[in-house]
Amino acid sequence: MTMPSERTRAILGTRAFLDGLVHPETLSGLPATIPGALQEEARALLQHYPCATEIHRAHHALSQYFGPVLSRRGFSIDPGTELFSLWGFKAGWLISHDDGIGVSAELDGVDLWYWSKDQKAVLRAFRRACRRAFLRRLLPWLAPPPVVLEATPESTTNATTQPSERTRAVFDAKRLLERLLRRRSEPPDAPDALREYARWLLRHYPFEFEFELAHQALPEWFGPLPEREQ
């Protein structure tokens, strides 16, 4: 049985894998030379494949299926650091990426996504949000805490990607991984190291019904399954 955290790790691990096919030097364990056709296919998939922000939202909408977003460093997925605030005994997650610091939290039914290059600024904003959420229980006329502090362009959704394209990219990537395992002749010069990565990712890759649920919960982010599009 696949755990939500394993499913998220497989999705974001596949994104790292695709990026590694395009830039082999960034992914440890891959050969220096990748077949050109495979690189072009990976490059096309990356144009619309979900990034961390989109999976983060899927986690908050469907936490029973998608785990929290974890920090990607190379091919490994490292857990974030749990935060805790005495104001209302609230918890959040501090996530470190190469281009900034993020905090993910849920305060009284509202999802927060704080991001900045300044870790102290993110932590101050998280504490202020917890304090404001606690005080609103006593003084409901107070304004709610902001949902977003700052978003980095590299982690927000691609504005040119349609929800249907995002979902299609997920399952086109899955077919690429399956192809690496199913037929050793396609592509004929794919190294065995690629097949081992593909085998690892497919163990916990999401099923179609899970992305159908994501479409129903977040239609502005994920489209219907490709075979069901009109």
Side-chain angles (χ1 to χ4, degrees), residues 70-126:
L70 307 175
S71 176
R72 179 172 72 84
R73 297 174 182 173
F75 187 70
S76 63
I77 306 294
D78 300 321
T81 302
E82 188 172 14
L83 301 175
F84 184 75
S85 171
L86 292 177
W87 286 96
F89 304 101
K90 291 297 183 179
W93 285 93
L94 179 71
I95 307 167
S96 176
H97 290 257
D98 294 338
D99 51 359
I101 303 295
V103 168
S104 169
E106 186 273 325
L107 302 181
D108 293 345
V110 177
D111 294 332
L112 306 182
W113 178 246
Y114 289 167
W115 187 280
S116 176
K117 294 182 180 296
D118 184 351
Q119 179 170 333
K120 292 182 179 179
V122 170
L123 294 175
R124 284 196 302 269
F126 170 69

Short mmCIF file of all heavy atoms in Angstrom, two decimals, residues 70-126:
data_model
loop_
_atom_site.label_atom_id
_atom_site.label_comp_id
_atom_site.label_asym_id
_atom_site.label_seq_id
_atom_site.Cartn_x
_atom_site.Cartn_y
_atom_site.Cartn_z
N LEU A 70 8.11 17.99 0.18
CA LEU A 70 9.40 17.92 0.85
C LEU A 70 10.45 18.57 -0.02
O LEU A 70 10.27 18.73 -1.22
CB LEU A 70 9.76 16.45 1.13
CG LEU A 70 8.67 15.67 1.88
CD1 LEU A 70 9.06 14.21 1.99
CD2 LEU A 70 8.40 16.26 3.23
N SER A 71 11.54 18.93 0.58
CA SER A 71 12.58 19.65 -0.14
C SER A 71 13.37 18.73 -1.04
O SER A 71 13.77 17.64 -0.63
CB SER A 71 13.54 20.32 0.86
OG SER A 71 14.60 20.95 0.21
N ARG A 72 13.60 19.16 -2.28
CA ARG A 72 14.36 18.36 -3.23
C ARG A 72 15.80 18.86 -3.30
O ARG A 72 16.06 20.02 -3.54
CB ARG A 72 13.75 18.44 -4.63
CG ARG A 72 14.53 17.62 -5.66
CD ARG A 72 13.78 17.58 -6.96
NE ARG A 72 13.80 18.83 -7.66
CZ ARG A 72 14.79 19.24 -8.45
NH1 ARG A 72 15.85 18.49 -8.62
NH2 ARG A 72 14.73 20.40 -9.06
N ARG A 73 16.73 17.99 -3.05
CA ARG A 73 18.15 18.30 -3.19
C ARG A 73 18.76 17.20 -4.04
O ARG A 73 18.94 16.09 -3.58
CB ARG A 73 18.83 18.37 -1.83
CG ARG A 73 18.27 19.50 -0.95
CD ARG A 73 18.85 19.45 0.45
NE ARG A 73 18.28 20.50 1.28
CZ ARG A 73 18.50 20.60 2.58
NH1 ARG A 73 19.28 19.73 3.19
NH2 ARG A 73 17.95 21.57 3.27
N GLY A 74 19.06 17.52 -5.28
CA GLY A 74 19.48 16.49 -6.21
C GLY A 74 18.30 15.55 -6.43
O GLY A 74 17.20 15.98 -6.69
N PHE A 75 18.52 14.27 -6.34
CA PHE A 75 17.45 13.29 -6.53
C PHE A 75 16.79 12.90 -5.22
O PHE A 75 15.73 12.33 -5.19
CB PHE A 75 18.02 12.04 -7.21
CG PHE A 75 16.95 11.06 -7.61
CD1 PHE A 75 16.08 11.37 -8.63
CD2 PHE A 75 16.81 9.85 -6.97
CE1 PHE A 75 15.10 10.47 -9.01
CE2 PHE A 75 15.83 8.95 -7.34
CZ PHE A 75 14.97 9.27 -8.37
N SER A 76 17.47 13.19 -4.10
CA SER A 76 16.91 12.80 -2.81
C SER A 76 15.82 13.77 -2.39
O SER A 76 15.80 14.93 -2.77
CB SER A 76 18.00 12.78 -1.73
OG SER A 76 18.53 14.08 -1.55
N ILE A 77 14.88 13.28 -1.58
CA ILE A 77 13.80 14.10 -1.04
C ILE A 77 13.98 14.15 0.46
O ILE A 77 13.87 13.14 1.15
CB ILE A 77 12.42 13.51 -1.38
CG1 ILE A 77 12.30 13.30 -2.88
CG2 ILE A 77 11.31 14.38 -0.89
CD1 ILE A 77 12.29 14.55 -3.70
N ASP A 78 14.28 15.33 1.00
CA ASP A 78 14.55 15.48 2.42
C ASP A 78 13.35 16.11 3.12
O ASP A 78 12.76 17.05 2.60
CB ASP A 78 15.77 16.36 2.64
CG ASP A 78 17.01 15.77 2.00
OD1 ASP A 78 17.16 14.55 2.06
OD2 ASP A 78 17.80 16.54 1.42
N PRO A 79 12.97 15.60 4.30
CA PRO A 79 11.83 16.18 5.00
C PRO A 79 12.13 17.59 5.49
O PRO A 79 13.27 17.95 5.75
CB PRO A 79 11.62 15.22 6.18
CG PRO A 79 12.95 14.60 6.40
CD PRO A 79 13.58 14.50 5.05
N GLY A 80 11.08 18.40 5.62
CA GLY A 80 11.22 19.73 6.18
C GLY A 80 11.29 19.67 7.69
O GLY A 80 11.27 18.60 8.30
N THR A 81 11.35 20.83 8.31
CA THR A 81 11.44 20.95 9.76
C THR A 81 10.08 21.40 10.30
O THR A 81 9.51 22.38 9.82
CB THR A 81 12.51 21.97 10.16
OG1 THR A 81 13.76 21.56 9.62
CG2 THR A 81 12.62 22.08 11.67
N GLU A 82 9.57 20.69 11.29
CA GLU A 82 8.28 21.06 11.86
C GLU A 82 8.43 22.29 12.75
O GLU A 82 9.34 22.39 13.56
CB GLU A 82 7.70 19.90 12.67
CG GLU A 82 6.26 20.16 13.12
CD GLU A 82 5.61 18.94 13.74
OE1 GLU A 82 6.33 17.99 14.07
OE2 GLU A 82 4.37 18.96 13.90
N LEU A 83 7.51 23.23 12.56
CA LEU A 83 7.47 24.44 13.37
C LEU A 83 6.33 24.33 14.36
O LEU A 83 5.36 23.62 14.14
CB LEU A 83 7.27 25.68 12.49
CG LEU A 83 8.32 25.94 11.41
CD1 LEU A 83 7.89 27.13 10.56
CD2 LEU A 83 9.67 26.19 12.04
N PHE A 84 6.44 25.09 15.47
CA PHE A 84 5.38 25.05 16.48
C PHE A 84 5.21 26.44 17.07
O PHE A 84 6.20 27.12 17.37
CB PHE A 84 5.74 24.05 17.58
CG PHE A 84 4.66 23.89 18.62
CD1 PHE A 84 3.51 23.17 18.33
CD2 PHE A 84 4.79 24.47 19.87
CE1 PHE A 84 2.51 23.02 19.27
CE2 PHE A 84 3.80 24.32 20.83
CZ PHE A 84 2.66 23.59 20.53
N SER A 85 3.97 26.87 17.21
CA SER A 85 3.68 28.17 17.78
C SER A 85 2.79 28.01 19.01
O SER A 85 1.81 27.25 18.98
CB SER A 85 2.97 29.06 16.75
OG SER A 85 2.50 30.25 17.36
N LEU A 86 3.14 28.72 20.09
CA LEU A 86 2.33 28.65 21.30
C LEU A 86 0.98 29.33 21.12
O LEU A 86 0.04 29.07 21.86
CB LEU A 86 3.08 29.31 22.47
CG LEU A 86 4.33 28.57 22.95
CD1 LEU A 86 5.01 29.36 24.06
CD2 LEU A 86 3.99 27.18 23.44
N TRP A 87 0.88 30.21 20.12
CA TRP A 87 -0.39 30.87 19.85
C TRP A 87 -1.37 29.88 19.23
O TRP A 87 -1.33 29.59 18.04
CB TRP A 87 -0.19 32.06 18.91
CG TRP A 87 0.45 33.24 19.59
CD1 TRP A 87 1.76 33.56 19.59
CD2 TRP A 87 -0.23 34.24 20.36
NE1 TRP A 87 1.97 34.70 20.31
CE2 TRP A 87 0.76 35.14 20.80
CE3 TRP A 87 -1.55 34.45 20.73
CZ2 TRP A 87 0.46 36.24 21.59
CZ3 TRP A 87 -1.86 35.54 21.51
CH2 TRP A 87 -0.86 36.43 21.94
N GLY A 88 -2.20 29.32 20.04
CA GLY A 88 -3.18 28.35 19.56
C GLY A 88 -2.61 26.99 19.32
O GLY A 88 -3.27 26.12 18.75
N PHE A 89 -1.36 26.77 19.77
CA PHE A 89 -0.72 25.45 19.61
C PHE A 89 -0.75 25.00 18.15
O PHE A 89 -1.20 23.90 17.83
CB PHE A 89 -1.39 24.42 20.51
CG PHE A 89 -1.42 24.82 21.96
CD1 PHE A 89 -2.56 25.34 22.53
CD2 PHE A 89 -0.28 24.70 22.73
CE1 PHE A 89 -2.58 25.73 23.86
CE2 PHE A 89 -0.28 25.09 24.06
CZ PHE A 89 -1.44 25.61 24.64
N LYS A 90 -0.29 25.87 17.29
CA LYS A 90 -0.33 25.59 15.86
C LYS A 90 1.02 25.10 15.35
O LYS A 90 2.07 25.52 15.83
CB LYS A 90 -0.74 26.85 15.08
CG LYS A 90 -2.19 27.26 15.31
CD LYS A 90 -3.15 26.19 14.80
CE LYS A 90 -4.59 26.61 14.96
NZ LYS A 90 -5.52 25.59 14.44
N ALA A 91 0.97 24.22 14.35
CA ALA A 91 2.19 23.67 13.77
C ALA A 91 2.25 23.99 12.28
O ALA A 91 1.22 24.17 11.62
CB ALA A 91 2.26 22.17 13.99
N GLY A 92 3.45 24.04 11.76
CA GLY A 92 3.66 24.23 10.33
C GLY A 92 4.93 23.53 9.92
O GLY A 92 5.61 22.90 10.75
N TRP A 93 5.27 23.62 8.64
CA TRP A 93 6.47 22.97 8.13
C TRP A 93 7.36 24.00 7.45
O TRP A 93 6.90 24.75 6.58
CB TRP A 93 6.11 21.86 7.14
CG TRP A 93 5.58 20.65 7.82
CD1 TRP A 93 4.28 20.34 8.07
CD2 TRP A 93 6.35 19.57 8.35
NE1 TRP A 93 4.18 19.15 8.73
CE2 TRP A 93 5.43 18.64 8.92
CE3 TRP A 93 7.71 19.29 8.40
CZ2 TRP A 93 5.85 17.46 9.52
CZ3 TRP A 93 8.12 18.12 9.01
CH2 TRP A 93 7.20 17.23 9.56
N LEU A 94 8.61 24.02 7.85
CA LEU A 94 9.62 24.88 7.23
C LEU A 94 10.34 24.05 6.18
O LEU A 94 10.91 23.00 6.48
CB LEU A 94 10.61 25.38 8.27
CG LEU A 94 11.74 26.27 7.76
CD1 LEU A 94 11.18 27.64 7.34
CD2 LEU A 94 12.81 26.45 8.83
N ILE A 95 10.31 24.51 4.92
CA ILE A 95 10.86 23.75 3.80
C ILE A 95 11.97 24.57 3.16
O ILE A 95 11.75 25.70 2.73
CB ILE A 95 9.78 23.43 2.76
CG1 ILE A 95 8.58 22.75 3.44
CG2 ILE A 95 10.32 22.55 1.65
CD1 ILE A 95 7.35 22.67 2.58
N SER A 96 13.16 24.03 3.08
CA SER A 96 14.30 24.73 2.51
C SER A 96 14.53 24.26 1.07
O SER A 96 14.67 23.07 0.82
CB SER A 96 15.56 24.47 3.35
OG SER A 96 16.69 25.07 2.75
N HIS A 97 14.55 25.22 0.13
CA HIS A 97 14.86 24.94 -1.26
C HIS A 97 16.09 25.74 -1.65
O HIS A 97 16.54 26.63 -0.92
CB HIS A 97 13.68 25.32 -2.17
CG HIS A 97 12.50 24.42 -2.01
ND1 HIS A 97 12.18 23.44 -2.91
CD2 HIS A 97 11.56 24.35 -1.05
CE1 HIS A 97 11.09 22.81 -2.52
NE2 HIS A 97 10.69 23.35 -1.39
N ASP A 98 16.62 25.45 -2.82
CA ASP A 98 17.82 26.15 -3.27
C ASP A 98 17.60 27.65 -3.45
O ASP A 98 18.52 28.44 -3.32
CB ASP A 98 18.33 25.56 -4.59
CG ASP A 98 18.82 24.12 -4.41
OD1 ASP A 98 19.16 23.77 -3.26
OD2 ASP A 98 18.86 23.39 -5.40
N ASP A 99 16.35 28.04 -3.77
CA ASP A 99 16.10 29.44 -4.10
C ASP A 99 15.27 30.16 -3.04
O ASP A 99 14.76 31.25 -3.28
CB ASP A 99 15.39 29.56 -5.45
CG ASP A 99 14.17 28.65 -5.52
OD1 ASP A 99 13.91 27.94 -4.53
OD2 ASP A 99 13.50 28.64 -6.56
N GLY A 100 15.10 29.60 -1.87
CA GLY A 100 14.36 30.29 -0.83
C GLY A 100 13.88 29.36 0.28
O GLY A 100 14.19 28.18 0.30
N ILE A 101 13.11 29.94 1.20
CA ILE A 101 12.58 29.22 2.36
C ILE A 101 11.07 29.31 2.32
O ILE A 101 10.50 30.39 2.11
CB ILE A 101 13.10 29.84 3.67
CG1 ILE A 101 14.63 29.86 3.69
CG2 ILE A 101 12.55 29.09 4.87
CD1 ILE A 101 15.27 28.49 3.70
N GLY A 102 10.39 28.18 2.53
CA GLY A 102 8.94 28.18 2.52
C GLY A 102 8.38 27.66 3.83
O GLY A 102 9.01 26.86 4.52
N VAL A 103 7.19 28.13 4.18
CA VAL A 103 6.45 27.63 5.34
C VAL A 103 5.06 27.25 4.88
O VAL A 103 4.36 28.06 4.25
CB VAL A 103 6.37 28.66 6.48
CG1 VAL A 103 5.35 28.22 7.52
CG2 VAL A 103 7.72 28.83 7.14
N SER A 104 4.66 26.03 5.17
CA SER A 104 3.33 25.54 4.87
C SER A 104 2.60 25.30 6.18
O SER A 104 3.15 24.68 7.09
CB SER A 104 3.41 24.24 4.06
OG SER A 104 2.16 23.61 3.97
N ALA A 105 1.38 25.80 6.31
CA ALA A 105 0.63 25.62 7.56
C ALA A 105 -0.87 25.70 7.27
O ALA A 105 -1.30 26.24 6.25
CB ALA A 105 1.03 26.67 8.59
N GLU A 106 -1.64 25.17 8.19
CA GLU A 106 -3.10 25.25 8.13
C GLU A 106 -3.57 25.86 9.44
O GLU A 106 -3.36 25.32 10.51
CB GLU A 106 -3.71 23.87 7.92
CG GLU A 106 -5.22 23.87 7.69
CD GLU A 106 -6.01 23.82 8.99
OE1 GLU A 106 -5.55 23.17 9.94
OE2 GLU A 106 -7.07 24.47 9.06
N LEU A 107 -4.20 27.06 9.35
CA LEU A 107 -4.65 27.78 10.53
C LEU A 107 -6.16 27.96 10.47
O LEU A 107 -6.67 28.70 9.62
CB LEU A 107 -3.97 29.15 10.62
CG LEU A 107 -2.44 29.16 10.67
CD1 LEU A 107 -1.92 30.59 10.78
CD2 LEU A 107 -1.93 28.32 11.83
N ASP A 108 -6.86 27.26 11.35
CA ASP A 108 -8.32 27.38 11.44
C ASP A 108 -8.99 27.21 10.08
O ASP A 108 -9.86 27.99 9.68
CB ASP A 108 -8.71 28.73 12.05
CG ASP A 108 -8.29 28.83 13.52
OD1 ASP A 108 -7.96 27.78 14.11
OD2 ASP A 108 -8.28 29.95 14.05
N GLY A 109 -8.56 26.19 9.34
CA GLY A 109 -9.18 25.87 8.07
C GLY A 109 -8.66 26.66 6.88
O GLY A 109 -9.16 26.49 5.77
N VAL A 110 -7.65 27.53 7.10
CA VAL A 110 -7.09 28.33 6.01
C VAL A 110 -5.66 27.86 5.74
O VAL A 110 -4.85 27.77 6.67
CB VAL A 110 -7.07 29.84 6.37
CG1 VAL A 110 -6.42 30.65 5.25
CG2 VAL A 110 -8.49 30.33 6.62
N ASP A 111 -5.36 27.55 4.49
CA ASP A 111 -4.02 27.10 4.11
C ASP A 111 -3.12 28.29 3.84
O ASP A 111 -3.49 29.21 3.09
CB ASP A 111 -4.08 26.23 2.85
CG ASP A 111 -4.81 24.92 3.10
OD1 ASP A 111 -4.80 24.46 4.24
OD2 ASP A 111 -5.41 24.39 2.14
N LEU A 112 -1.95 28.29 4.45
CA LEU A 112 -0.96 29.34 4.25
C LEU A 112 0.22 28.79 3.46
O LEU A 112 0.60 27.63 3.63
CB LEU A 112 -0.45 29.87 5.60
CG LEU A 112 -1.48 30.36 6.61
CD1 LEU A 112 -0.78 30.89 7.84
CD2 LEU A 112 -2.37 31.43 6.00
N TRP A 113 0.79 29.65 2.62
CA TRP A 113 1.99 29.26 1.87
C TRP A 113 2.90 30.48 1.86
O TRP A 113 2.75 31.38 1.05
CB TRP A 113 1.61 28.84 0.45
CG TRP A 113 2.77 28.48 -0.42
CD1 TRP A 113 3.20 29.15 -1.55
CD2 TRP A 113 3.67 27.39 -0.27
NE1 TRP A 113 4.29 28.53 -2.09
CE2 TRP A 113 4.61 27.45 -1.33
CE3 TRP A 113 3.76 26.36 0.67
CZ2 TRP A 113 5.62 26.50 -1.48
CZ3 TRP A 113 4.79 25.43 0.52
CH2 TRP A 113 5.69 25.50 -0.54
N TYR A 114 3.85 30.52 2.81
CA TYR A 114 4.76 31.66 2.94
C TYR A 114 6.11 31.31 2.34
O TYR A 114 6.65 30.24 2.62
CB TYR A 114 4.93 32.04 4.41
CG TYR A 114 3.71 32.67 5.03
CD1 TYR A 114 3.61 32.83 6.40
CD2 TYR A 114 2.66 33.11 4.25
CE1 TYR A 114 2.50 33.41 6.98
CE2 TYR A 114 1.54 33.70 4.81
CZ TYR A 114 1.46 33.85 6.18
OH TYR A 114 0.37 34.42 6.73
N TRP A 115 6.64 32.24 1.57
CA TRP A 115 7.90 31.99 0.87
C TRP A 115 8.72 33.27 0.82
O TRP A 115 8.19 34.34 0.60
CB TRP A 115 7.62 31.52 -0.56
CG TRP A 115 8.85 31.06 -1.29
CD1 TRP A 115 9.80 31.84 -1.90
CD2 TRP A 115 9.29 29.73 -1.45
NE1 TRP A 115 10.79 31.07 -2.44
CE2 TRP A 115 10.50 29.76 -2.17
CE3 TRP A 115 8.77 28.50 -1.06
CZ2 TRP A 115 11.20 28.62 -2.51
CZ3 TRP A 115 9.47 27.37 -1.39
CH2 TRP A 115 10.66 27.42 -2.12
N SER A 116 10.01 33.14 1.04
CA SER A 116 10.91 34.29 0.94
C SER A 116 12.34 33.77 0.88
O SER A 116 12.61 32.62 1.25
CB SER A 116 10.74 35.23 2.14
OG SER A 116 11.67 36.29 2.09
N LYS A 117 13.23 34.61 0.42
CA LYS A 117 14.65 34.27 0.48
C LYS A 117 15.22 34.50 1.88
O LYS A 117 16.32 34.08 2.18
CB LYS A 117 15.43 35.10 -0.55
CG LYS A 117 15.06 34.78 -2.00
CD LYS A 117 15.89 35.60 -2.96
CE LYS A 117 15.52 35.28 -4.40
NZ LYS A 117 15.81 33.89 -4.77
N ASP A 118 14.46 35.21 2.72
CA ASP A 118 14.87 35.54 4.09
C ASP A 118 14.15 34.62 5.07
O ASP A 118 12.94 34.73 5.27
CB ASP A 118 14.55 37.00 4.37
CG ASP A 118 15.04 37.45 5.74
OD1 ASP A 118 15.47 36.60 6.55
OD2 ASP A 118 14.97 38.67 6.02
N GLN A 119 14.88 33.69 5.68
CA GLN A 119 14.25 32.74 6.60
C GLN A 119 13.63 33.44 7.80
O GLN A 119 12.55 33.07 8.26
CB GLN A 119 15.27 31.71 7.07
CG GLN A 119 14.69 30.70 8.06
CD GLN A 119 15.64 29.56 8.34
OE1 GLN A 119 16.48 29.22 7.52
NE2 GLN A 119 15.52 28.95 9.50
N LYS A 120 14.30 34.47 8.34
CA LYS A 120 13.76 35.18 9.50
C LYS A 120 12.43 35.84 9.17
O LYS A 120 11.51 35.85 9.99
CB LYS A 120 14.76 36.22 9.99
CG LYS A 120 16.02 35.63 10.60
CD LYS A 120 16.95 36.72 11.12
CE LYS A 120 18.19 36.11 11.76
NZ LYS A 120 19.13 37.15 12.25
N ALA A 121 12.30 36.37 7.94
CA ALA A 121 11.05 37.00 7.54
C ALA A 121 9.92 35.99 7.48
O ALA A 121 8.78 36.27 7.88
CB ALA A 121 11.23 37.69 6.19
N VAL A 122 10.22 34.79 6.98
CA VAL A 122 9.20 33.75 6.89
C VAL A 122 8.75 33.32 8.29
O VAL A 122 7.56 33.16 8.55
CB VAL A 122 9.74 32.55 6.09
CG1 VAL A 122 8.78 31.38 6.19
CG2 VAL A 122 9.92 32.92 4.64
N LEU A 123 9.70 33.14 9.19
CA LEU A 123 9.36 32.72 10.55
C LEU A 123 8.56 33.79 11.28
O LEU A 123 7.61 33.48 12.01
CB LEU A 123 10.64 32.39 11.32
CG LEU A 123 11.42 31.17 10.82
CD1 LEU A 123 12.73 31.02 11.59
CD2 LEU A 123 10.58 29.91 10.94
N ARG A 124 8.94 35.07 11.10
CA ARG A 124 8.16 36.14 11.73
C ARG A 124 6.74 36.16 11.19
O ARG A 124 5.77 36.32 11.95
CB ARG A 124 8.83 37.50 11.47
CG ARG A 124 10.06 37.76 12.31
CD ARG A 124 10.43 39.25 12.29
NE ARG A 124 10.66 39.73 10.94
CZ ARG A 124 11.84 39.74 10.33
NH1 ARG A 124 12.91 39.29 10.99
NH2 ARG A 124 11.98 40.19 9.11
N ALA A 125 6.59 35.99 9.88
CA ALA A 125 5.26 35.99 9.27
C ALA A 125 4.42 34.83 9.78
O ALA A 125 3.22 34.98 10.03
CB ALA A 125 5.38 35.94 7.75
N PHE A 126 5.04 33.66 9.96
CA PHE A 126 4.31 32.50 10.47
C PHE A 126 3.82 32.76 11.90
O PHE A 126 2.67 32.48 12.24
CB PHE A 126 5.21 31.27 10.42
CG PHE A 126 4.65 30.08 11.13
CD1 PHE A 126 3.54 29.41 10.64
CD2 PHE A 126 5.24 29.61 12.31
CE1 PHE A 126 3.01 28.31 11.30
CE2 PHE A 126 4.72 28.52 12.97
CZ PHE A 126 3.61 27.86 12.46
#
